[in-house]
Amino acid sequence: MSKTVVLTGIKPTGMPHLGNYLGAIRPALQMADEENTEARFFIADYHSLNSVRDPATLRSYIHEVAAVWLAAGLDPEKVLIYKQSDVPETFELTTILMAFTAKGLMNRAHAYKAAVDVNREKGQSDDHQINMGIYTYPVLMAADILLFDTDYVPVGKDQVQHIEMAQDIAGVVNHNYKKDLLVIPKARVDEQLMTVPGLDGRKMSKSYGNHIPLFSPEKKLRKTIMKIVTNSQGLDEPKNPDTCNVFALYKLFADVAEQKVLAERYRAGGMGWGDAKVALFEKLNAEIGPMREKYNSLMADPSQIDAILADGSARARKVAAGTIRRLRDAVGVS
Ligand code: ADP
Ligand code: TRP
């Protein structure tokens, strides 16, 4: 029986935060451990080029994202980890897919439409600061996915439309050549998965600036946690854990018994917000402390990361070459 292929990519646009870890990285690694599964996780560096225009910054973000995967437990012997830009077959497939992608489909992409809406609100022309990389983003993403005969793509809700577009485009190709040339991928969105709240209680996101970077130094992590917004209740007042940002984050790391203990301290009164934040910091630091050490040792010598990525890319290209051969034959350029 052939294995189920699970693939996902992360754009290197900065150090991943707690929301990325709990909402994407940790569940993807759990999925990679499932029976009969072949996992492929990559760094979507050309997707970042739409917004990251400084070479040293991009290089550093690539290392950071790779180091986060590795520190979070990705075993490169078992899981293929590579950089999108190191698999040029991606770009050949993109060119093929472009010919089968309706322009109207791209017009409907949420991310593109949101950029147009922002322009309209600001009284700019629709196309202001929108490049073809943003406009055709879903085609490159479809190529990432279809190149590896992917069955499942674990993603957040915001990415589901992109997976549907990959399905559409693959369907058009298959229909034209009257055979199942491309595997139709499915999104795997975990409905149970929490939306991790940020410092201000809204969804944690880089774009809101309310995020907790996954591996900042211990002192800095502590400082960031102290910034979590709470209400103005005094030390003695009983507090409600269910409406508290600190407790919401604590719950994501603590077991049921630990949650109960802290919830009782909230309700009893006599516990200030500072104490609740320290409890959160300690819990969080206990889980990510060992990973942070691994992360720091990788970042201290990024050549280790480069070697792992180079090996992953070489293996990825072997798989990719098979798909491209199949497509070249089918379309008539071979
Ligand atoms: P950001 O909003 O910070 O730019 P991304 O959109 O790059 O984050 O998200 C990358 C991945 O992390 C996606 O799969 C997304 O669903 C997941 N993710 C991001 N923020 C959160 C969050 N607050 N809670 C849960 N998952 C999240
Ligand atoms: N667009 C995804 C994001 O912003 C990143 C990505 C690029 C991706 N290519 C992919 C995710 C292929 C899954 C599969 O999060």
Side-chain angles (χ1 to χ4, degrees), residues 178-328:
K178 297 185 179 55
K179 57 181 151 191
D180 295 331
L181 273 176
L182 295 168
V183 173
I184 309 289
K186 290 181 213 58
R188 224 174 105 166
V189 186
D190 195 339
E191 291 298 339
Q192 311 281 330
L193 221 66
M194 58 299 225
T195 297
V196 180
L199 299 175
D200 56 1
R202 287 188 294 170
K203 178 185 176 225
M204 186 178 291
S205 170
K206 254 176 306 207
S207 33
Y208 295 151
N210 65 352
H211 57 295
I212 303 178
L214 191 52
F215 296 134
S216 52
E218 206 172 301
K219 265 197 186 150
K220 191 142 180 239
L221 175 64
R222 201 188 172 96
K223 255 191 165 164
T224 311
I225 287 179
M226 292 300 157
K227 285 191 205 147
I228 297 174
V229 178
T230 49
N231 64 25
S232 56
Q233 281 182 303
L235 181 81
D236 293 334
E237 291 178 72
K239 299 175 177 64
N240 182 359
D242 301 326
T243 55
C244 173
N245 295 332
V246 181
F247 194 79
L249 283 165
Y250 185 80
K251 267 184 18 189
L252 302 174
F253 290 93
D255 62 33
V256 178
E258 291 166 325
Q259 292 176 31
K260 225 176 130 201
V261 170
L262 188 63
E264 275 161 16
R265 287 181 65 198
Y266 266 74
R267 293 196 182 99
M271 182 198 68
W273 293 124
D275 296 333
K277 289 175 182 177
V278 167
L280 169 62
F281 165 75
E282 280 169 359
K283 193 70 219 150
L284 184 57
N285 199 45
E287 170 152 345
I288 64 178
M291 291 189 239
R292 187 200 291 120
E293 271 175 40
K294 172 118 202 254
Y295 174 83
N296 287 339
S297 93
L298 286 162
M299 289 302 282
D301 176 15
S303 68
Q304 306 169 75
I305 303 172
D306 291 334
I308 291 169
L309 291 178
D311 179 62
S313 307
R315 287 191 284 150
R317 288 196 70 182
K318 284 197 187 128
V319 182
T323 313
I324 287 297
R325 219 173 301 123
R326 197 164 81 218
L327 268 286
R328 286 181 145 248

Side-chain angles (χ1 to χ4, degrees), residues 101-112:
T101 303
K103 177 172 172 282
L105 188 69
M106 297 298 98
N107 290 342
R108 290 194 290 277
H110 298 320
Y112 165 70

Side-chain angles (χ1 to χ4, degrees), residues 10-11 13 17 19-20 22-24 154-159 193-197 203-207:
I10 292 198
K11 254 188 321 187
T13 49
H17 55 69
N20 301 140
L22 295 171
V155 279
K157 286 194 202 92
D158 58 318
Q159 295 297 314
L193 221 66
M194 58 299 225
T195 297
V196 180
K203 178 185 176 225
M204 186 178 291
S205 170
K206 254 176 306 207
S207 33

Side-chain angles (χ1 to χ4, degrees), residues 9-250:
I10 292 198
K11 254 188 321 187
T13 49
M15 146 87 75
H17 55 69
L18 270 187
N20 301 140
Y21 173 66
L22 295 171
I25 297 169
R26 197 168 74 176
L29 288 171
Q30 282 161 354
M31 216 179 285
D33 269 342
E34 286 170 13
E35 282 292 293
N36 220 29
T37 296
E38 221 167 281
R40 286 145 194 185
F41 299 152
F42 71 98
I43 299 163
D45 49 356
Y46 272 144
H47 274 118
S48 287
L49 194 57
N50 291 315
S51 56
V52 185
R53 296 291 172 76
D54 175 65
T57 305
L58 183 55
R59 218 167 274 130
S60 167
Y61 287 165
I62 291 168
H63 283 142
E64 284 174 28
V65 171
V68 164
W69 276 116
L70 295 164
L74 183 148
D75 175 359
E77 296 295 320
K78 288 200 207 129
V79 174
L80 207 51
I81 176 166
Y82 57 93
K83 218 163 68 180
Q84 178 189 45
S85 60
D86 284 340
V87 183
E89 289 78 4
T90 307
F91 315 113
E92 182 163 355
L93 183 55
T94 302
T95 300
I96 297 173
L97 298 181
M98 288 281 187
F100 293 89
T101 303
K103 177 172 172 282
L105 188 69
M106 297 298 98
N107 290 342
R108 290 194 290 277
H110 298 320
Y112 165 70
K113 275 185 13 189
V116 173
D117 287 344
V118 169
N119 283 339
R120 288 185 184 166
E121 270 163 35
K122 292 187 180 160
Q124 308 274 16
S125 80
D126 281 8
D127 293 340
H128 179 70
Q129 285 195 337
I130 296 179
N131 57 50
M132 290 304 287
I134 291 172
Y135 191 61
T136 62
Y137 187 106
V139 189
L140 178 55
M141 182 156 160
D144 292 332
I145 297 168
L146 300 173
L147 189 61
F148 289 95
D149 293 337
T150 304
D151 297 298
Y152 291 101
V153 189
V155 279
K157 286 194 202 92
D158 58 318
Q159 295 297 314
V160 170
Q161 190 198 32
H162 288 148
I163 313 300
E164 288 165 357
M165 289 182 163
Q167 294 168 345
D168 273 8
I169 299 168
V172 175
V173 173
N174 288 350
H175 182 258
N176 185 76
Y177 298 105
K178 297 185 179 55
K179 57 181 151 191
D180 295 331
L181 273 176
L182 295 168
V183 173
I184 309 289
K186 290 181 213 58
R188 224 174 105 166
V189 186
D190 195 339
E191 291 298 339
Q192 311 281 330
L193 221 66
M194 58 299 225
T195 297
V196 180
L199 299 175
D200 56 1
R202 287 188 294 170
K203 178 185 176 225
M204 186 178 291
S205 170
K206 254 176 306 207
S207 33
Y208 295 151
N210 65 352
H211 57 295
I212 303 178
L214 191 52
F215 296 134
S216 52
E218 206 172 301
K219 265 197 186 150
K220 191 142 180 239
L221 175 64
R222 201 188 172 96
K223 255 191 165 164
T224 311
I225 287 179
M226 292 300 157
K227 285 191 205 147
I228 297 174
V229 178
T230 49
N231 64 25
S232 56
Q233 281 182 303
L235 181 81
D236 293 334
E237 291 178 72
K239 299 175 177 64
N240 182 359
D242 301 326
T243 55
C244 173
N245 295 332
V246 181
F247 194 79
L249 283 165
Y250 185 80

